[in-house]
Every structure is written in C-alpha cells, then in structure tokens.
C-alpha cells in the first residue's frame, strides 16, 4: 500500500484516529444503555449522562459532565461557512478539547494504568491536532472558502 500523506505519516495518522474511536466506544459503554445515549439524557442531579446514580455527584463525574457540556456548546457555536475544510476544523477543535478535558479527569482520578496511558496520549496528540486545525483555519481566506 502506498502512502498518500503529504508528510509521509500514513502509519502514524491511523493511531490517533484509532484512539479517538476507542475512546468514543468506551464512552458509549460507560454512559449506560443505548436508549439513554440515543435519547441524550443529561441529568446533572443524577450524575453522568445515561446513569441513574442517587446522591451527590463525584468530582470526577462533575469534571466529565462539565467537559461534555463545554464541548457540546463549543460544537454548537462553531461558525459554519459551508466550506467542508473550515467547518470540519471549527467543529473538531471543541470536540478535541472535550476529549482532552475528559482525559485530564481520568488522569486525576483514574487508577487503571492502561487507561491513564491512553489519557496521556489523548492530551498530547489532540493538543497537537488542535494546533494544526487552528493553523489551517488561520490560513484560510476571509469568508472560509478556497
């Protein structure tokens, strides 16, 4: 198979994508039933989305809920221009920041060494990817189209 990436990073490019997919699948499993996830249940008084925990939320649950709320808000507020490149980057920046914020919660409260290592990698790779997307957005001409 021939590498078509401009910078020759074909093998390395798949790893961050695989990590994001694994994180997403883990969050789906963690959030509870498919019905609750599909319905988008977010009950701050009961803990994490899709869960029904009685009593006060934990600091971890609060950090995760905040990360998701900020991410959702940032994605909804991302300025859409109709240019796929612009719109992709504008939406992915808050999405990646949400993943970074969730990874930081794992680093503060998680004990599983595999998940902590994954969280560290998420912080590093997604910060780097945010920088790339911000740079590309700044290079685009006014109006967002090529």
């Amino acid at each position: 198979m021939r590498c078509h990436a401009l910078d020759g990073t074909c093998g390395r490019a798949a790893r961050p994508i695989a990590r994001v997919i694994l994180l997403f699948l883990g969050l789906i499993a963690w959030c509870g039933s498919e019905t609750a996830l599909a319905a988008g249940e977010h009950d701050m008084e009961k803990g994490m989305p899709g869960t029904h925990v009685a009593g006060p939320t934990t600091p971890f649950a609060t950090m995760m809920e905040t990360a998701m709320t900020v991410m959702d808000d940032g994605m909804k507020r991302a300025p859409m221009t109709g240019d796929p490149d612009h719109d992709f980057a504008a939406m992915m920046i808050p999405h990646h920041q949400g993943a970074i914020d969730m990874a930081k919660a794992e680093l503060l409260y998680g004990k599983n060494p595999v998940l902590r290592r994954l969280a560290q990698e998420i912080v590093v790779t997604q910060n780097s990817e945010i920088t790339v997307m911000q740079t590309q957005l700044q290079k685009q001409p006014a109006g967002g189209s090529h």
Side-chain angles (χ1 to χ4, degrees), residues 6 20 47 66 84 110-111 134:
L6 295 176
V20 171
T66 299
K111 305 288 186 236
Q134 288 171 332

Side-chain angles (χ1 to χ4, degrees), residues 27 30-33 36-37 40-43 46-52 61 64-65 68:
L27 284 174
W30 179 66
C31 285
S33 72
L37 185 61
E41 285 185 19
H42 288 255
D43 190 344
K46 293 182 181 178
M48 295 303 301
T51 63
H52 301 286
M64 293 295 281
E65 185 67 34
M68 288 186 288

Side-chain angles (χ1 to χ4, degrees), residues 112-125:
N112 181 313
V114 173
L115 295 178
R116 287 179 52 78
R117 176 68 180 149
L118 178 65
Q120 290 170 336
E121 291 178 14
I122 287 168
V123 170
V124 171
T125 58

Side-chain angles (χ1 to χ4, degrees), residues 84-119:
D85 295 328
H86 174 277
D87 296 354
F88 170 76
M91 291 281 282
M92 289 302 290
I93 290 169
H95 182 270
H96 275 35
Q97 187 60 55
I100 290 166
D101 294 343
M102 287 185 248
K104 287 179 179 178
E106 168 64 17
L107 291 171
L108 279 173
Y109 298 104
K111 305 288 186 236
N112 181 313
V114 173
L115 295 178
R116 287 179 52 78
R117 176 68 180 149
L118 178 65

